Amino acid sequence: MSESRPLQLGLSAYDLPAADFLALARAADAAGVDSLWLGEHVFHPKEYTSVHPGSHQAQHHTGPLVQEHTHLLDPLAMLAAAAAVTSRIRLATGILVLPLRDPLLVSRALATLQEISGGRVTLGVGAGWLQEEFTALGIDFTQRGRRTREAITVLKACLGGGFVEHHGKDFDFDPLLVVEEPTPVPVILGGNGEVALKRAAAVADGWFSSGSLSLDEAARLRSQMLGHLADKGRSEDDFEMVIRPERADTSAVGSFVELGYRHVVVWADQVWDAAQPHEQQVAAISAFVNDVRSQVS
């Protein structure tokens, strides 16, 4: 990666009430955090047998990822609210399960989000792993990868400005207009499997690691991704790798930066306490950001 790309520090949130997420957004924005990522699931299956592909890794959130008491938020609605109470922080879905949705509807929501935020929104997407979500919505789980790739093609075309049409296997429409002028939204793909890495190198603007990674795992995935980018005639100059370590401390962040990562995202609840007053929240996050920036380059 080019040494000229500045270090980006982000926070990742999941299982938060809406009011707490907005408090986090305000505090992170004031503290100088570069990005805020919100994960999602659509609903809680009463029971499920699907296994998260990162379940073999050390996870900050232990136990089932989707259960009765997990507080789920719609990420696009929540980022719109966050955009209204922040002024500079980059707002991202981390991640949105894109194949569950019609990309025409997503493109309209993204265009609105970019208007509200002044262009600060990034779309982090994944193909999904919870089969029960797909079954309930009547979508073929086995074709989620193909559907994801085609949906990204549709999104980029619709947000490119002007009339577009598309005739594919999963989506088919005659000429229509979503936005008159180009409304770019970076698309970053999640997932640590070989198929997900190849998909990101082929169609996305970047890649976001799934789960909380050890240093060895992060090094292996970075090497794989660089290889896939080279196969596509691409490099890190036009591709962003976003990594999430197991711990939120200067030493952990520094180790990932030494591997070559320039965008490190930590779990928000490791540096932020919802019970604290706003001023203390800002002070705690600022201390983390300042400590990392002073010791890690």
Side-chain angles (χ1 to χ4, degrees), residues 11-14 36-42 52-53 65 72-76 79 91-101 122-130 133-134 144 148 187-192 196 199 206-211 242 244 265 267:
L11 298 180
S12 179
Y14 178 70
L36 177 60
W37 302 73
L38 177 61
E40 75 139 353
H41 283 286
V42 178
H52 188 281
L65 295 179
L72 301 178
L73 298 171
D74 180 275
L76 300 180
L79 292 188
L91 301 167
T93 56
I95 54 90
L96 179 111
V97 186
L98 183 59
L100 294 178
R101 297 166 167 88
T122 290
L123 182 68
V125 303
W129 61 272
L130 187 58
E133 283 183 307
F134 287 78
R144 67 194 185 282
T148 298
V187 176
I188 294 185
L189 266 167
N192 299 348
R199 185 185 303 126
W207 165 75
F208 183 35
S209 66
S210 177
V242 185
R244 186 165 50 197
V265 174
W267 286 110

